Amino acid sequence: MRELAATALMLVSLAAPAAAQDDGMPQGKRPTVSRDAPPSSNATVNLINLLVKQGTLSEEQAATLVKQADDEAYVARQATRDAAAKAEGAEKKATSAADATSPPGTKRVTYVPEIVKKQLREEIRAEVMDRAHKENWASPGMYPEWAQRIKFYGDIRTRYEGDHFPAGNAPLTNFNAINTGSPFQEENNSAPPNPYFPPSYNVSQDRNRFRFRARLGADVDLFDGFTAGLRIATGENSSPVSTNQTFGGNGGNFSKYAVWLDRAFIKYQPVQDVVASVGRFDNPFWSPTDLVWYKDLGFDGFAVQARHEVEEGFTPFFVGGAFPVFNTDLNAGLNIADLQQNNVVPVKLPSRDKWLFGAQTGFAARFDAETNLTMAVAYYDFTNVRGRLSSSCLVYLASDTCDTDLSRPSFAQKGNTYMRLRNIPDTLVPAPTFDYQYYGLASEFRPVVASAQLDLAQFNPIHVILDAEYIWNTAFNRSAVAAVAVRPTNFAGTPDGGPGPYNGGNQGWLARMTVGNKEIKHLWDWNAHVGYKYLESDATVDAFADSDFGLGGTNLKGYFIGGNVGLGENIWGAVRWMSANNIAGLPYKVDIVQLDLNARF
């Protein structure tokens, strides 16, 4: 088989001069290269077709070889014509000059040495080739050089999702709705009590949704190792973990849907093994599962990735980065009532930006052609994400602010434990205060994450892939969190799900097995997976965890199973079932079914 491939490459390399002599094929038409192509009059193409049928070459590789030969033949034909025209002109000039100085009846025979002919051919060929590249007629229909450095890509996914809740679930407070809207009035001794419950998630009514996701991106090869990228995507809002759009959303009545800037970055790769990125880009850390980071999450900031094969089959790698999670508004401030002067004094607040710092190290080991193991350990430090209790703050209206309001999360899912942010005294002087509260995260987060993947390809192209991930929040302090955890009487339970002692946790793990094709690209490619997930309430920041399992967040455990099958080139269907339960506190359970149709280009 290798001899056939070598013969094919040799024949293709000779195809250009051969084609220069044979101009019988119509210009712009090439022999079809395919597994089912009929015999061709071109022996090279017949051989390539044979290699395609035997699986030595793909149709794309074969088509590239034929196109290269055709391009070189085109240039060769042009060079031959130009050389003939120049030689004929030179011969006419030489004959005219000689006739003018020779007696009548003199006969001459033009002789050009072979070395001169060869030199002339090379000069003309170089000249024509240079012109071909500059004027872009070596390959008719080819894009300009600058356009060839832009690579467009995209994908579309349509989804049916069924969310099914059993009887017995208890309401879960929606702290994200409070923190991104008006504060919630708790009961206090000064103001009239609030007869309303806080906003809560749906945990009792089944829902059926049809959704879609569309993304379009471009990668641009710049110069000297620099590249840039952009991607836009759909989405019902600016959520960092979902680009899904529900049909009938945005007011319904076939209203148009929003498009968001999902990626925007510049990368620099000075050498093959090192890449630096700045902007908004894909997760730079190796994460075989979505236990900690949702698979579509984008990271804002700066990251460096480095890897190097120190010996055959063993490649250590390192990733490090800094990512701003929240930046304080330039004009952030509040109005403080000055009872002495009977007016309001504006006060600006100091910056308290939130950051994520992360570092990961690991290795990829290839034991043999069928066995690969990848392992890594990461440490993440979320800075300033924990809430802070304000100084004494008199609140008379829902629009009043306190000095730690900005420490509340600007986006959250559910599962983390919360604390009150406002220190509001009960007083009737000069007027009764109202306990309008915002809520912040009750724990610090500095998790350590261990990840591993074993890829067994003994039945190639069928793979057996085992994924595992474990997380431990090293900054978690149970007694400190329990001391501030929210337990107002008119809340339906606490953030960890129960009215009694705090029973949240700081650990989590996920195990999954996948069998089948590693990638779904062609018709009837397939794979199937099954796994189990366990993620305690304060193991990680719930805002960035999986948004599908248990409808998003932490404090969840349960099974999941699914599969994919190719329906054509880059088109595939998928099905997934997930059953999730609360780990701690009040009961909450949901079963989710998802049916997807995917296409990429």
Side-chain angles (χ1 to χ4, degrees):
M1 192 68 68
R2 293 179 181 170
E3 288 140 0
L4 283 173
T7 305
L9 293 174
M10 181 182 69
L11 288 175
V12 169
S13 67
L14 296 174
Q21 298 170 8
D22 180 13
D23 213 6
M25 184 180 296
Q27 188 173 358
K29 295 185 179 180
R30 300 184 179 92
T32 303
V33 176
S34 169
R35 297 175 184 272
D36 304 318
S40 169
S41 59
N42 189 312
T44 302
V45 174
N46 284 333
L47 179 55
I48 292 175
N49 281 328
L50 177 60
L51 294 175
V52 170
K53 287 181 180 180
Q54 294 179 346
T56 304
L57 294 175
S58 67
E59 294 183 17
E60 292 81 2
Q61 291 172 326
T64 301
L65 291 174
V66 172
K67 181 179 182 302
Q68 179 184 349
D70 190 58
D71 291 345
E72 292 180 357
Y74 184 84
V75 172
R77 288 195 297 270
Q78 188 66 33
T80 302
R81 293 192 187 98
D82 286 4
K86 289 188 176 183
E88 183 179 354
E91 182 180 354
K92 287 182 179 179
K93 289 182 180 179
T95 302
S96 299
D99 287 345
T101 58
S102 301
T106 302
K107 294 183 179 180
R108 293 179 179 80
V109 178
T110 303
Y111 172 72
V112 180
E114 193 63 33
I115 189 171
V116 176
K117 291 181 182 180
K118 183 177 180 180
Q119 183 179 359
L120 183 62
R121 279 197 301 268
E122 292 300 326
E123 290 176 354
I124 295 174
R125 181 182 178 84
E127 181 183 339
V128 172
M129 184 64 76
D130 183 60
R131 233 176 82 203
H133 285 298
K134 287 181 179 178
E135 299 176 9
N136 197 34
W137 49 262
S139 297
M142 200 173 182
Y143 289 112
E145 184 275 335
W146 64 267
Q148 295 177 46
R149 292 187 284 108
I150 303 176
K151 178 186 177 183
F152 291 96
Y153 65 92
D155 61 82
I156 297 174
R157 180 182 69 198
T158 58
R159 166 177 291 177
Y160 161 75
E161 179 176 312
D163 305 327
H164 304 283
F165 302 97
N169 282 351
L172 297 178
T173 301
N174 189 339
F175 286 94
N176 187 58
I178 298 173
N179 286 333
T180 57
S182 299
F184 176 70
Q185 182 197 343
E186 297 184 2
E187 296 182 20
N188 62 7
N189 297 324
S190 301
N194 181 6
Y196 300 103
F197 283 92
S200 62
Y201 293 100
N202 171 37
V203 296
S204 59
Q205 301 299 318
D206 293 351
R207 289 285 185 262
N208 294 285
R209 297 187 287 180
F210 290 89
R211 317 182 83 185
F212 77 96
R213 180 190 72 184
R215 302 183 295 188
L216 178 64
D219 289 328
V220 184
D221 183 12
L222 299 175
F223 59 90
D224 295 337
F226 283 94
T227 59
L230 285 170
R231 189 172 80 187
I232 56 176
T234 53
E236 294 178 343
N237 49 51
S238 59
S239 160
V241 291
S242 178
T243 51
N244 289 317
Q245 173 64 58
T246 301
F247 286 110
N250 285 19
N253 297 313
F254 304 130
S255 300
K256 298 182 181 69
Y257 301 117
V259 174
W260 303 84
L261 182 61
D262 190 40
R263 298 289 188 270
F265 60 85
I266 296 174
K267 288 187 177 182
Y268 177 54
Q269 190 169 5
V271 294
Q272 181 66 29
D273 295 337
V274 178
V275 179
S277 306
V278 62
R280 181 176 178 83
F281 40 81
D282 291 338
N283 182 0
F285 301 101
W286 180 69
S287 301
T289 80
D290 50 20
L291 177 72
V292 182
W293 308 115
Y294 184 56
K295 56 182 176 295
D296 290 336
L297 180 69
F299 279 64
D300 302 337
F302 171 80
V304 175
Q305 299 165 290
R307 60 187 303 119
H308 182 67
E309 188 175 30
V310 295
E311 60 180 75
E312 186 176 1
F314 185 77
T315 306
F317 61 86
F318 170 81
V319 184
F323 315 94
V325 176
F326 173 81
N327 186 265
T328 308
D329 186 278
L330 182 65
N331 298 311
L334 64 155
N335 295 326
I336 297 179
D338 186 343
L339 302 182
Q340 301 283 341
Q341 301 294 328
N342 196 26
N343 63 3
V344 175
V345 179
V347 176
K348 298 304 178 186
L349 296 176
S351 173
R352 193 169 185 269
D353 299 340
K354 302 176 184 180
W355 284 81
L356 164 64
F357 301 96
Q360 182 185 58
T361 184
F363 67 86
R366 185 178 67 253
F367 299 109
D368 52 53
E370 292 83 25
T371 307
N372 293 275
L373 174 67
T374 306
M375 300 184 72
V377 175
Y379 175 78
Y380 303 105
D381 183 359
F382 290 89
T383 303
N384 289 336
V385 299
R386 184 177 185 271
R388 288 193 308 153
L389 187 65
S390 72
S391 57
S392 182
C393 180
L394 300 178
V395 177
Y396 305 109
L397 302 172
S399 58
D400 287 341
T401 58
C402 296
D403 57 9
T404 61
D405 285 357
L406 292 179
S407 67
R408 69 188 191 270
S410 54
F411 174 80
Q413 298 191 81
K414 62 181 187 298
N416 286 159
T417 305
Y418 282 83
M419 60 175 286
R420 295 183 183 89
L421 295 180
R422 294 177 166 185
N423 179 17
I424 304 174
D426 292 337
T427 179
L428 298 174
V429 180
T433 56
F434 287 78
D435 199 3
Y436 287 110
Q437 277 291 348
Y438 281 124
Y439 304 91
L441 299 180
S443 176
E444 299 278 6
F445 291 90
R446 289 189 290 275
V448 172
V449 180
S451 309
Q453 181 181 85
L454 178 62
D455 184 353
L456 305 173
Q458 279 78 4
F459 305 100
N460 192 54
I462 302 303
H463 290 243
V464 177
I465 301 174
L466 305 176
D467 295 311
E469 204 151 31
Y470 171 78
I471 183 171
W472 170 44
N473 180 11
T474 62
F476 178 77
N477 184 318
R478 178 174 296 276
S479 59
V481 173
V484 297
V486 178
R487 286 177 175 81
T489 57
N490 58 350
F491 271 49
T494 64
D496 65 301
Y502 173 74
N503 56 358
N506 66 327
Q507 300 181 61
W509 58 273
L510 186 150
R512 179 180 62 203
M513 180 176 70
T514 304
V515 178
N517 296 98
K518 201 167 184 179
E519 287 187 280
I520 307 299
K521 284 187 170 183
H522 310 293
L523 179 64
W524 306 131
D525 285 353
W526 67 275
N527 60 40
H529 66 267
V530 62
Y532 185 84
K533 180 177 182 178
Y534 183 95
L535 186 62
E536 292 180 331
S537 60
D538 297 298
T540 187
V541 177
D542 66 32
F544 310 124
D546 182 8
S547 66
D548 294 323
F549 186 80
L551 295 178
T554 62
N555 195 30
L556 295 166
K557 64 180 179 179
Y559 296 91
F560 55 91
I561 187 171
N564 302 272
V565 61
L567 304 176
E569 293 297 307
N570 291 316
I571 300 175
W572 72 99
V575 60
R576 187 160 60 148
W577 173 80
M578 297 167 282
S579 182
N581 298 265
N582 255 8
I583 294 175
L586 296 174
Y588 167 73
K589 180 178 181 179
V590 60
D591 293 327
I592 301 171
V593 176
Q594 294 177 341
L595 301 175
D596 296 347
L597 179 63
N598 303 270
R600 63 173 165 238
F601 51 90

